[in-house]
Amino acid sequence: MTEPLLHFHASGPAHAPAVVLLHSLATHSGLWAHQVPAWSVDLRVIAIDLPGHGRSAVARQPLTLADMADRVLAVLDHLGVAQAAFVGVSLGGMVAQAVALGHAHRVSALVIAHAGARTDETVRAIWDQRIEQFEASGMDQLAQPTLERWFPRAFSESAPLTLQWMASLIEATDPQGYVMAIRAIQGLDHLDRLPAIRVPTLVVAGQADAAVPSAVASAVAHRIPHARLHLLEDTGHIGNVQQPLLFTERVGEFLQSALVPDDTPSLKRMETLK
């Protein structure tokens, strides 16, 4: 039986270069609220809810990251988009890797933010413990410890409304979708295959990321030929939320340079303003 199409929202010029946005575990496409308005001026921005997240239904059977990649590409097929840049945060960065490794001809550029490329045995065991804790207490009790891992304390104390919003995303996540995504993360094993990625690639890391330390992100960038590494200072695991302007500008500059011709009207306007 065919799985239903993932929920998505497309913005920007219909014939512009396409960019697919893939969110983190236990959130949804609304995570990109700060980036979509800026990037959709010159780009066709397609924000997708991964299976069991947001408005996308839980899959009927367990999914690997490669399966999630196929589901994402089904959205592009539906839209008639042959090729796109992929920007993923955390889980979304793992799915973006799977797209690039399994369907290289569909990828024009790649941004891997706050994501490793291999889940080792120790981390798999930690995920097992988190599933046990979730099954014992439910999604409501999951939000606080998750946010403590995602954001440095100083940011959390200075941005209580943002933390409240993030907690609402976590609590709204389908429990089955949450567990299914964790099982996919436990199977992550892309590290030795990364040298096969040949498209322009930007790896984004948070200096204060407790979930994916910057050394892990650096190892990912080192394995991908000619990849660039951008370190966000004093930033935790969800950089596009904690540092929305900086993330939007640095990643947006990369996407513009990789995808948009120099004679695009909006770029000419920016040169005039300078």
Side-chain angles (χ1 to χ4, degrees), residues 89-200:
V89 168
S90 189
L91 169 63
M94 301 173 197
V95 177
Q97 293 172 44
V99 175
L101 291 169
H103 307 272
H105 65 289
R106 304 296 300 268
V107 181
S108 55
L110 187 63
V111 179
I112 302 169
H114 309 288
R118 174 178 289 158
T119 304
D120 61 30
E121 185 174 348
T122 300
V123 176
R124 284 196 294 272
I126 292 173
W127 280 117
D128 281 334
Q129 293 172 6
R130 289 177 186 167
I131 289 176
E132 291 175 3
Q133 293 167 356
F134 148 72
E135 291 175 340
S137 58
M139 293 299 290
D140 291 347
Q141 300 303 312
L142 190 69
Q144 187 60 34
T146 299
L147 294 174
E148 289 174 356
R149 289 191 299 272
W150 284 0
F151 297 105
R153 178 178 294 180
F155 173 77
S156 298
E157 292 176 348
S158 67
L161 295 180
T162 298
L163 268 289
Q164 183 177 343
W165 168 56
M166 291 297 297
S168 73
L169 301 188
I170 296 169
E171 292 165 359
T173 301
D174 187 287
Q176 288 180 276
Y178 175 74
V179 173
M180 193 171 291
I182 288 177
R183 294 306 186 197
I185 292 170
Q186 288 179 310
L188 172 67
D189 192 13
H190 294 157
L191 191 63
D192 293 336
R193 299 170 59 200
L194 292 180
I197 296 175
R198 298 290 174 172
V199 296

Side-chain angles (χ1 to χ4, degrees), residues 16 54 76 108 126 132 145 158 185 197 207 212 223-224 245 254:
L76 298 193
S108 55
I126 292 173
E132 291 175 3
S158 67
I185 292 170
I197 296 175
Q207 187 184 48
V212 179
R223 294 292 185 103
I224 300 174
L245 292 179
F254 169 78

Side-chain angles (χ1 to χ4, degrees), residues 31-32 34-35 89 114 147-159 162-163 165-166 204-210 232-248:
L31 192 75
W32 301 101
H34 295 293
Q35 286 74 49
V89 168
H114 309 288
L147 294 174
E148 289 174 356
R149 289 191 299 272
W150 284 0
F151 297 105
R153 178 178 294 180
F155 173 77
S156 298
E157 292 176 348
S158 67
T162 298
L163 268 289
W165 168 56
M166 291 297 297
V204 179
Q207 187 184 48
D209 190 341
L232 298 171
E233 294 185 3
D234 302 321
T235 303
H237 189 56
I238 312 292
N240 68 310
V241 171
Q242 185 182 342
Q243 298 272 18
L245 292 179
L246 189 58
F247 189 100
T248 299

Side-chain angles (χ1 to χ4, degrees), residues 210-228:
V212 179
S214 58
V216 173
S218 180
V220 170
H222 180 73
R223 294 292 185 103
I224 300 174
H226 310 297
R228 293 161 48 190

Side-chain angles (χ1 to χ4, degrees), residues 47-71:
I48 296 176
D49 287 344
L50 292 170
H53 291 70
R55 294 172 63 183
S56 289
V58 176
R60 297 186 180 96
Q61 59 186 11
L63 297 177
T64 64
L65 293 168
D67 294 331
M68 290 188 183
D70 290 340
R71 298 286 302 278

